Amino acid sequence: MPHSSSAVAGHTAITALSMGTVISIRLGDGAAPHDDARLAAARNAVVEVFRGWNERFSLHREGSELSRVNRGELRLTQAGPELRNCYALALAWRGRTDGVFTPHRADGAIDLSGIVKSLAIAEAGDLLNRLGARDWSLNAGGDILVGGDRASGLGWSAGIVDPLDRGTLLATVPLTLPVRAVATSGSAERGDHIWTTVDGGVSPYRQVTVFARDIVTADVLATAIVAGGQAALDRSTEAFPIDVLAVLRDGSLLATPGLRAASGLRAASA
């Protein structure tokens, strides 16, 4: 299993591959230790959710609905409601981030990869609740959503990995209500794949982790801060109820006051 940008400790876990990443479902300590059938059902249902999103939105699949739109074979107005709603949400986030987050590539193609995984995670979390898995965590490539508690009286926590040393944790942060989601973005896993919108240069951040009440907000703002630099970090922390841990190019850390208080981390103020 590849290292992910953050991890959650828990009791019973099962993993699967989808969207080119590892998905880990972990149940709280209240789960029956030998409830293999329930866990397998949860795994299969979550994988099916991710498969559906991937088949519709992946630009690596020639037959996906979004690929057909980008090739001009299907008008956006003729696409299914899921695609149109996803595109509308991405446009809304473009407005909320002053254009830093965008569903459009430089060549004009629509690329919804910046929001699709978090929407899949959110849907999978809703599904776990409907299946009766009251206490759970869902980790998809380092982006985490949790429900309930890890154990009676003990909440979930997320460990943030050092991008310069993947075997070391920078901090362990409790996911205390109303915070339920963690998303990490940066160049440590895939190289400098996110560029600033100001001058096209490399982001000042190696890695940005955002803690939020929902996974879409966490994911979008992590991407926007990496792409938009200090200005996007300042705007995001002022406009949204989030906490942020940012790793600069030289390895130094920036953290919001709430994150420093929750984790005991020593870092400059973000």
Side-chain angles (χ1 to χ4, degrees):
M1 180 189 304
H3 293 293
S4 58
S5 298
S6 43
V8 174
H11 174 61
T12 305
I14 194 167
T15 61
L17 288 171
S18 187
M19 284 189 175
T21 192
V22 176
I23 301 168
S24 174
I25 305 164
R26 196 174 293 270
L27 301 184
D29 288 354
H34 302 296
D35 195 356
D36 294 338
R38 181 183 176 200
L39 191 56
R43 172 194 179 277
N44 292 339
V46 167
V47 168
E48 186 63 19
V49 168
F50 277 80
R51 184 194 64 78
W53 283 91
N54 191 53
E55 286 190 354
R56 184 177 296 275
F57 294 99
S58 174
L59 294 180
H60 299 292
R61 299 175 63 93
E62 290 188 4
S64 75
E65 191 173 18
L66 186 54
S67 291
R68 293 178 61 209
V69 168
N70 280 326
R71 288 197 302 268
E73 298 172 5
L74 180 69
R75 292 183 180 180
L76 184 59
T77 54
Q78 297 172 327
E82 295 88 353
L83 194 155
R84 288 185 280 110
N85 290 340
C86 184
Y87 181 60
L89 181 61
L91 290 178
W93 274 109
R94 183 178 66 179
R96 293 170 192 155
T97 59
D98 296 330
V100 176
F101 179 88
T102 177
H104 299 118
R105 298 192 317 209
D107 61 4
I110 298 173
D111 185 348
L112 299 174
S113 59
I115 201 168
V116 163
K117 185 174 76 168
S118 58
L119 287 170
I121 294 172
E123 182 179 336
D126 289 340
L127 179 60
L128 289 173
N129 288 332
R130 294 197 301 274
L131 290 173
R134 182 181 63 182
D135 303 312
W136 51 267
S137 76
L138 179 61
N139 183 328
D143 294 342
I144 296 168
L145 182 66
V146 302
D149 297 310
R150 184 167 69 87
S152 179
L154 181 64
W156 298 100
S157 61
I160 308 306
V161 173
D162 186 344
L164 299 176
D165 179 2
R166 310 302 293 172
T168 301
L169 289 181
L170 293 174
T172 299
V173 183
L175 302 180
T176 306
L177 281 171
V179 174
R180 300 278 84 181
V182 187
T184 297
S185 188
S187 61
E189 292 283 2
R190 292 190 291 155
D192 295 316
H193 66 285
I194 300 175
W195 301 91
T196 61
T197 58
V198 177
D199 58 8
V202 177
S203 171
Y205 304 124
R206 287 185 179 272
Q207 177 174 288
V208 170
T209 300
V210 173
F211 295 77
R213 299 179 182 185
D214 69 274
I215 190 63
V216 173
T217 297
D219 193 22
V220 168
L221 293 182
T223 300
I225 292 168
V226 171
Q230 185 68 48
L233 173 61
D234 293 342
R235 286 194 301 268
S236 297
T237 53
E238 291 172 2
F240 299 94
I242 61 171
D243 277 303
V244 178
L245 175 61
V247 183
L248 292 164
R249 285 280 157 189
D250 63 2
S252 59
L253 305 178
L254 298 177
T256 51
L259 187 63
R260 295 201 305 273
S263 64
L265 184 69
R266 293 186 177 182
S269 179

